[in-house]
Amino acid sequence: MCRLRDHAQGFRRRPFPDLSFFISSFRSFCQVLLGDMGAGKSSLALRFVKGQFFDYQESTIGAAFLTQTLAVNETTVKFEIWDTAGQERYHSLAPMYYRGAAAAIIVYDITNADSFGRAKKWVQELQRQGNPNLVMALAGNKADLASKKKIEAEEGQAYAEENGLFFMETSAKTAQNVNELFYEIARKLPKAQPAQAAGMTLTDRSASRLTPAKTTCCT
Amino acid sequence: MGGQSGPTMDSGDFIDESDYKSSAQAVKSSKTIQGGSSSLSGSESGKMMVGNGGPDSYEVVFVKDNVSVHPTQNASERISGRLRLIKQGASLFMTWIPYTVKGGGRQGSSIMKSAEKDRNLYTIRAVSLAEMRSIRRHTPPFGLQYIIIVLTSGLAFPPLYFHTGGVREFLSTLRNHALLVRSNDDSNVYLVNDVQDPLQRSLTSLELTEVTPVAVVVEPPPIVTKKDETVQPVEESPASTSMQTSVYRQGPRREASREIINVLEKFSMVTKFARDTTAHLFGESRLLGNSEMDFDRGPMRLRNEGSVSKSTGELPPVDGAQEPVKDGKEAAAKDEGKDTKKAQDEESEKQKRIANEEASTNVGSFELVDGTKNDTPALVWGRARPPPLGHEEWVTFLDREGRVVDSKALKKRVFHGGVEPNLRPELWKFLLGHYKFDSTYAERNALVSSKREEYKVLQAQWKTVSEDQAKRFAKFRERKHRVEKDVIRTDRTIPFYEGDDNRNVELLRDILVTYSFYNFDLGYCQGMSDLLSPILYVMEDESEAFWCFAALMERMAPNFHRDQNGMQAQLSALSKLVQLLDTPLHDYFKQNECLNYFFCFRWILICFKREFDYNDVLRLWEVLWSHYLSEHFHLYMCVAILKRHRRKIMDEQMEFDTLLKFINELSGHIELESTLRDTEALCLFAGEKGAACIPPGTPPSLPVVEVDPFAVSLESSQNL
């Protein structure tokens, strides 16, 4: 759930001194990881944020939120990453996490053709949401398992180009292209965009509206 | 088919990783204990340590066989059993469990019948020493030695006859663990925890042996309590520890004055803790000045109101609330001048004042200690928790043919003490509803074998799908594939599931795929493997684990519905509970658009499975499944944990994202025992008002039975 910052003040309330005021080019943006279960969303996030990898990374229940602050070129960028549950069953919860995101990484598993199909459905759904500023990336993960490859890089690349995404084959296990992926997203974000308003919309959510009213299933 | 070999790296909650190392070790040790889980004949003797060194571990410090009760003069009707003193933490419990009648028991010779009944009647189940007032010994030069134990409630147990001597040893063991004073009036009467003054005696009866566990519980969890005065300040812990030493190590010959001081010290600790805890649980909202609950109606009365919430429907907070509020104020006042030490005079002055305040409740506290009726929020923290239910005691809950005579009592016992690991396979089947409480041994045996056959049939439905057939069966391939993706990353650091080609991982898969055929409409959902894993670990049998899982899913299936209605119902009930029990926190969440409570999603979906180490999950689940205070105890538990961190949440102005991160990172840092106590207190405190927040049919309640319109129309059309 990428949230709009406090409009009146234009920045987020923070519990401790916020150094961002003193850094001329500080930006934070919110992104979301989407993709089939077992594609490697959490592993990518974990590799990027903590430099860790676990063979038996547990499934994500609900969602996880991670942050990483890094210098990208001359700018300090705070990555706010929503990691979501992959199973289609929990699809109805996804909009609350991707709604308002400035970027989305759609992950598939190169050894699993179904996960590529599911990735395409995510792309379609995000396109339907009609946020023109949304930066989308397609990540073909588990590049280390080349011998079991079912989806060639060319196929992923071609699909990405058709749909205006940028594409990378990644491996959370070997760290191949992981940082590159996130950096590239940061670079692609519209430069003029103010740090706090990266295309986020605020929607009223109450307990009674747990499930977004209109969601389409991707089955 | 479609199975993906090789490591799967996937999504998940990296936050939990570090916790699993420790949990793996914990499980290792517990599994050792469970080693001979198939043989349930408990025949321990002498001293033994049970448990993993955690708060659940206990030690048998005294065992005496052939201690009997004589219901009548008739020697043949004596009931023999084993007397034990069990030390758990700093609390001492006494149990007397009659021997199982061998042979005739199950088959049921008619002579045994009345004896069976008596056995159940006379069994002494984990009486805390704090509940005892006195012990009278009879050691005639000829004839049997016996003791009579009188409880603070005024009840007395029937004489316990020591057929092979040992009264002296019994008393001296007691002396090592508790205050035992010989009465001035009668040298054969030993007063337990006694002091002369009736006021102080009443204070003693406030379960003072609990001081140390309380203090232990209070030790702040590693990450969370930095600024959190709601938990008892750190500096209290060493004090209480040293006090424990003084109380329990000193010899029997102490001056009465010293005892009084000790008792007062102990009392002060309890009061201090109770005050702080009640303040943090109940007082905060008032302190912040906009509680919707009226905390100020009527005086605090410690008189036994325990069953109020159940019987009269009167809201306990009405009676139980003033004290917490007052305490809250005191705690707040204290916080202001909060340096590590307070002047001792001031402190003792305070204790005196508190003691005076409590004096008016003298009579009440006596009643409260009556072990059966002490369900009052204010005393939840002070109560000794009994050791886990063991096999020998379990048998006493059963009648001759194996029916549970009093399921309510059983549930209560499990709720408060949990179950010993080697008894779990049996007892969980009852708790989960796979076994009916009123079933007999014979019926259960029949059920086991018929269900085993049924499971085989169910499993064959997919095991016999040929590769060729599977090619044309996408739904099946997909399902199996999903299950496989999850089982290979479920609890793999637990020894039971670790390593390549682990048979138990295959069992997880087989059971889950079979379940997705058994309940084809629901299918497999992420989270199910988390729910099954501990069940298989405990059952160690494929069919049994399957049926227990299926029984659990009868209650929890709505958690996995595509429309999220089950989760929605629970999250919305949780929202109402927080509103009731912590209005300022509710308002905070409202302001910050966190009212959907999605940050508690994982807690609820898989019942805190990811939040505690493996052994604690087993304990927690049996407590939850006892459904003793509420079927929705887990929701109260959410409230308790949120309340514990309310200050941090609000001080740091957490919003949805940071809040969710914070909550996820609590995993492995939640102390189970104290959380259970907080939850129990909250649950009692909320009473009927709390129950009213949770609409009927909210999972894990069994679905409200509705007439299926389809079935009706089908029937009527057939009639036509």
Side-chain angles (χ1 to χ4, degrees), chain A residues 38-39 42 57-58 60 87-88, chain B residues 8 10-12 522 526 562 657:
Chain A
S42 299
Q57 178 67 43
E58 292 176 295
T60 303
Q87 191 177 3
E88 205 277 324
Chain B
T8 296
D10 184 59
S11 54
L522 186 64
Q526 288 198 306
R562 185 175 297 274
D657 46 14

Side-chain angles (χ1 to χ4, degrees), chain A residues 26-162:
Chain A
F26 177 92
R27 28 194 339 217
S28 75
F29 73 96
C30 181
Q31 58 189 315
V32 62
L33 284 155
L34 300 167
D36 201 4
M37 60 184 276
K41 299 177 292 300
S42 299
S43 291
L44 280 173
L46 187 56
R47 170 61 78 187
F48 175 62
V49 171
K50 293 196 174 176
Q52 294 173 330
F53 177 82
F54 298 98
D55 278 327
Y56 301 122
Q57 178 67 43
E58 292 176 295
S59 63
T60 303
I61 303 290
F65 181 70
L66 307 86
T67 59
Q68 170 73 300
T69 306
L70 288 172
V72 179
N73 299 332
E74 303 298 303
T75 313
T76 304
V77 177
K78 185 180 183 193
F79 295 84
E80 299 182 333
I81 304 165
W82 280 105
D83 179 22
T84 61
Q87 191 177 3
E88 205 277 324
R89 182 75 53 126
Y90 299 110
H91 178 205
S92 65
L93 307 181
M96 63 184 276
Y97 298 109
Y98 69 63
R99 193 184 294 138
I105 301 175
I106 293 130
V107 186
Y108 69 91
D109 168 3
I110 63 160
T111 69
N112 180 345
D114 289 344
S115 73
F116 187 55
R118 180 104 174 90
K120 290 177 177 174
K121 285 184 173 149
W122 276 119
V123 173
Q124 288 162 14
E125 178 167 344
L126 292 174
Q127 285 170 340
R128 273 201 305 273
Q129 298 304 311
N131 173 3
N133 294 327
L134 183 71
V135 174
M136 282 198 275
L138 183 67
N141 193 34
K142 307 195 190 182
D144 53 293
L145 300 176
S147 61
K148 295 177 184 167
K149 200 168 191 171
K150 297 272 166 46
I151 305 294
E152 293 302 326
E154 292 70 27
E155 199 178 337
Q157 181 72 51
Y159 179 79
E161 277 173 17
E162 279 167 35

Side-chain angles (χ1 to χ4, degrees), chain B residues 498-514:
Chain B
E498 81 183 353
D500 298 333
D501 302 321
N502 186 314
R503 171 72 184 135
N504 296 320
V505 175
E506 284 172 34
L507 289 180
L508 273 184
R509 181 201 61 189
D510 287 0
I511 294 170
L512 287 168
V513 176
T514 306

Side-chain angles (χ1 to χ4, degrees), chain A residues 175-195:
Chain A
Q176 174 197 333
N177 273 346
V178 175
N179 283 355
E180 288 78 355
L181 175 72
F182 284 90
Y183 278 56
E184 186 58 28
I185 290 173
R187 275 192 288 270
K188 285 230 184 317
L189 285 170
K191 295 281 187 292
Q193 208 169 40

Side-chain angles (χ1 to χ4, degrees), chain B residues 278-328:
Chain B
T278 43
H280 107 250
L281 278 170
F282 309 122
E284 291 277 10
S285 45
R286 170 59 184 268
L287 286 175
L288 294 173
N290 56 354
S291 168
E292 282 179 7
M293 271 186 112
D294 187 356
F295 284 103
D296 223 3
R297 290 150 56 198
M300 169 67 172
R301 270 175 247 130
L302 279 175
R303 111 184 112 74
N304 182 6
E305 296 277 349
S307 49
V308 158
S309 58
K310 280 165 290 180
S311 54
T312 68
E314 172 96 336
L315 189 67
V318 173
D319 279 315
Q322 201 222 359
E323 170 88 339
V325 170
K326 172 192 70 195
D327 293 342

Side-chain angles (χ1 to χ4, degrees), chain B residues 53 80 87 98 155 157 171 213 232 240 258 262 299 316 351 353-354 359 410 447 449 502 507 557 651 661-662 676:
Chain B
S80 279
K87 192 180 172 202
L155 295 174
F157 289 120
L171 290 171
Q232 188 169 5
S240 60
R258 179 66 200 139
N262 262 323
Q351 300 312 339
R353 187 158 44 82
I354 293 160
L410 176 63
L447 183 77
S449 45
N502 186 314
L507 289 180
D651 283 356
K661 186 166 188 274
F662 173 72
L676 286 176

